[in-house]
């Protein structure tokens, strides 16, 4: 959409509305009449410079695309719904591990200081990815602009952006306001993303000190540093994975809960926060980076990909070409 579109968005409330309308039309036009398989292959080639092998996947990024096309378990819709998953976590692990809820609504016009009673907080939608707003104090917010953003979030269908099937059937679309977790120092806690293959923990990807050095660090199940990062291609920096991240106090509990979730998946990412030793669930992610993040070094794409049990995976899910034979 470019810099001009961003300037229009920030120019006025009308500009903000027009920006979202144009964005929706643009997204619909580029995806119109295209199958999931076609769009996945096209984007994969744009990122990696080659088409994914979906008939005989070997790389982890290829397996994630394969799973996007074949795994149609209705339970997964609950897991990616940022509101419904709260009940799932509470029932299986306990309410104390769920981030406190301040407010939820299906109407963007409800978002305002009259309904949000606690600060700091984070505002997001239950069916989207990447769109959120942190509010530290009510006087710091342009509430009208935020409501326009929320209307766009409610209209947006993330499935058509990512081809991640579980998002397609989330209903109703909601705006969710949760307490913003903070450490004693007032910092946003580190985000610990535990990656599992065949139910076994492979590595922990840490979003470290987001408001400071903003590093990405990777550790194994025994908290030994691993020489890799898995990030969007445009986000990679050579100085990543250099911060010294202490092992979180709740790490053993993270691994216990993560394994309980991961036992039913070929691949899954389970996220946690440790707030001064207090554990909270973050989210359950079935397709990290939608399968378009890049390993640095790239050899780890194969190292982790070949760990997936191909025979049982294909037997259970079937081959993607059975869903659609369309070629790019």
């Amino acid at each position: 959409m470019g810099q001009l579109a961003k300037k229009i968005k920030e120019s006025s409330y009308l500009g903000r509305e027009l920006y979202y309308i144009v964005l929706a039309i643009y997204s619909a036009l580029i995806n119109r009449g295209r199958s999931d398989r076609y769009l996945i292959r096209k984007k994969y080639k744009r990122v990696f410079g080659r088409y994914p092998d979906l008939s005989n996947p070997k790389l982890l990024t290829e397996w994630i695309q394969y799973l996007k096309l074949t795994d149609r378990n209705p339970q997964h819709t609950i897991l990616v719904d940022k509101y419904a998953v709260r009940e799932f976590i509470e029932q299986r692990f306990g309410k104390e591990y769920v981030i406190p809820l301040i407010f939820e609504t299906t109407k963007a016009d409800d978002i305002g200081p009259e309904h949000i009673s606690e600060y700091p907080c984070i505002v997001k939608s239950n069916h989207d990815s990447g769109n959120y707003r942190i509010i530290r104090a009510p006087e710091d917010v342009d509430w009208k602009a935020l409501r326009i953003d929320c209307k766009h979030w409610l209209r947006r269908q993330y499935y058509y952006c990512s081809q991640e099937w579980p998002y397609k059937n989330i209903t109703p679309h909601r705006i969710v306001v949760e307490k913003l977790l903070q450490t004693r120092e007032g910092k946003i806690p580190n985000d610990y993303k535990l990656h599992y293959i065949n139910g076994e923990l492979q590595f922990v990807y840490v979003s470290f000190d987001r408001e400071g050095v903003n590093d990405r660090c990777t550790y194994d199940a025994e908290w030994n540093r691993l020489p890799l990062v898995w990030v969007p291609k445009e986000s990679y920096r050579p100085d990543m994975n250099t911060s010294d991240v202490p092992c979180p106090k709740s790490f053993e509990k993270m691994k216990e809960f993560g394994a309980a979730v991961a036992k039913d998946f070929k691949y899954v990412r389970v996220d946690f926060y440790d707030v001064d030793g207090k554990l909270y669930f973050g989210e359950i992610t079935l397709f990290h980076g939608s399968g378009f993040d890049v390993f640095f070094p790239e050899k780890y794409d194969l190292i982790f990909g070949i760990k997936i049990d191909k025979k049982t995976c294909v037997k259970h899910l079937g081959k993607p070409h059975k869903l659609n034979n369309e070629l790019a």
Side-chain angles (χ1 to χ4, degrees), residues 80-142:
V80 302
D81 182 328
K82 293 177 177 61
Y83 181 75
V85 75
R86 297 173 57 85
E87 183 177 355
F88 171 87
I89 294 168
E90 181 176 337
Q91 289 179 349
R92 285 158 181 76
F93 303 103
K95 187 174 182 178
E96 65 269 29
Y97 301 107
V98 181
I99 298 172
L101 179 70
I102 296 172
F103 182 62
E104 62 86 15
T105 181
T106 58
K107 300 177 181 178
D109 287 340
D110 288 343
I111 298 300
E114 66 275 16
H115 291 123
I116 299 177
S117 57
E118 185 178 344
Y119 303 89
C121 63
I122 183 168
V123 182
K124 57 189 177 182
S125 65
N126 68 322
H127 64 286
D128 199 0
S129 179
N131 287 315
Y132 64 90
R133 181 70 59 82
I134 290 175
I135 303 176
R136 297 190 180 275
E139 60 270 19
D140 297 335
V141 182
D142 183 334

Side-chain angles (χ1 to χ4, degrees), residues 189-193 205-208 210 269 271-273 282:
N190 298 332
D191 189 356
Y192 301 92
K193 303 175 184 294
Y205 166 105
V206 187
S207 294
F208 174 70
R210 284 182 181 270
R269 194 191 87 200
D271 297 0
F272 298 93
Y273 298 101

Side-chain angles (χ1 to χ4, degrees), residues 215-235:
D215 201 357
R216 301 294 182 270
C217 302
T218 310
Y219 293 85
D220 67 11
E222 305 304 321
W223 209 255
N224 301 302
R225 189 187 297 276
L226 294 175
L228 66 109
V229 292
W230 191 16
V231 294
K233 190 174 184 178
E234 64 277 8
S235 299

